[in-house]
Amino acid sequence: MFVAINQNGEKQFAFHEDKERLYSLAQAKELYCPHCHKHVFFRGGPKRIHHFYHERHVECSFVGEPETQEHLGGKLAIYNWLKEQYPNAYVALEERITKTNQIADVYADFGNGYKFAFEIQCAEQTAEKWLERRKLYAVAGIKDIWLFGANYYKEIPVEDIEDDEIVLRLKFAQQTVNEKDRSVYF
């Protein structure tokens, strides 16, 4: 996760703050999960994206699959792009959708009812679970956009392409859901 809160409830961002300060606050147990309010730790380095994490076996609605570097990098890239392209929009990382109790990886509200949730899906997930999550966003009046990680693609051989080009296709389960639900994939 990229967002923690301090003892005053102020948001602390893993990628904006002074890293040594965040390490110190985490070691002093002064950083908390904004969702369950339990202590979080801070990690990162030259080859790892800085982020916060729970202790093992902590029960929290935010805790699911551990976030891979691909997932963290995807969230940060979408967040930064949206902030740059739409400076007047409300853009947030790890925003809780109160109506459905979901946490969007990146949430954007452009005003006039235009609300989007961007989800970076790297861990394997069943088509049923994915459709359930999509329906919850629809109930909340939010358009969901899914960006799938490497686990969801397969490389396919294609003739007449340049040597450095690769063609990727969604795996069968995702293709089937996409054809049925007409979803947007990137």
Side-chain angles (χ1 to χ4, degrees):
M1 83 179 70
F2 283 125
V3 181
I5 55 173
N6 64 19
Q7 293 174 327
N8 299 324
E10 299 165 330
K11 289 183 178 182
Q12 307 292 303
F13 295 95
F15 51 88
H16 282 218
E17 306 290 330
D18 173 33
K19 308 306 181 219
E20 293 304 318
R21 180 177 160 275
L22 292 176
Y23 278 119
S24 296
L25 287 171
Q27 288 178 341
K29 297 194 173 203
E30 294 178 8
L31 290 178
Y32 305 91
C33 173
H35 308 289
C36 70
H37 301 283
K38 294 179 182 167
H39 294 290
V40 293
F41 298 96
F42 180 72
R43 77 165 56 128
K47 294 184 180 181
R48 181 177 276 187
I49 297 171
H50 288 87
H51 63 282
F52 301 105
Y53 65 99
H54 285 89
E55 288 182 281
R56 291 180 191 212
H57 311 295
V58 167
E59 290 188 30
C60 173
S61 61
F62 186 79
V63 177
E65 295 291 322
E67 293 182 309
T68 63
Q69 292 295 293
E70 180 184 27
H71 188 199
L72 290 168
K75 286 196 309 189
L76 190 55
I78 294 299
Y79 172 80
N80 287 334
W81 182 81
L82 286 167
K83 292 288 277 185
E84 183 178 311
Q85 296 297 314
Y86 304 98
N88 296 325
Y90 173 76
V91 179
L93 281 163
E94 302 157 358
E95 179 85 359
R96 181 174 296 281
I97 311 303
T98 308
K99 188 170 186 174
T100 61
N101 202 31
Q102 290 175 282
I103 299 172
D105 285 336
V106 181
Y107 174 80
D109 186 341
F110 297 100
N112 298 325
Y114 295 104
K115 300 175 185 177
F116 292 85
F118 294 83
E119 291 288 351
I120 314 300
Q121 188 65 42
C122 296
E124 292 287 336
Q125 177 177 256
T126 65
E128 293 78 18
K129 179 68 177 169
W130 180 71
L131 287 171
E132 176 186 324
R133 291 175 68 191
R134 295 203 70 225
K135 286 177 186 174
L136 288 172
Y137 279 124
V139 165
I142 299 169
K143 176 65 180 157
D144 55 321
I145 298 174
W146 293 76
L147 295 95
F148 288 97
N151 287 340
Y152 285 89
Y153 294 97
K154 63 181 178 180
E155 194 171 323
I156 59 170
V158 176
E159 293 181 26
D160 301 326
I161 63 171
E162 299 293 323
D163 290 335
D164 60 347
E165 289 184 5
I166 297 172
V167 176
L168 300 174
R169 178 170 288 152
L170 290 170
K171 291 182 178 177
F172 179 75
Q174 286 70 39
Q175 283 181 17
T176 303
V177 170
N178 189 38
E179 289 167 7
K180 175 184 175 188
D181 209 39
R182 297 183 184 189
S183 304
V184 178
Y185 290 84
F186 294 88

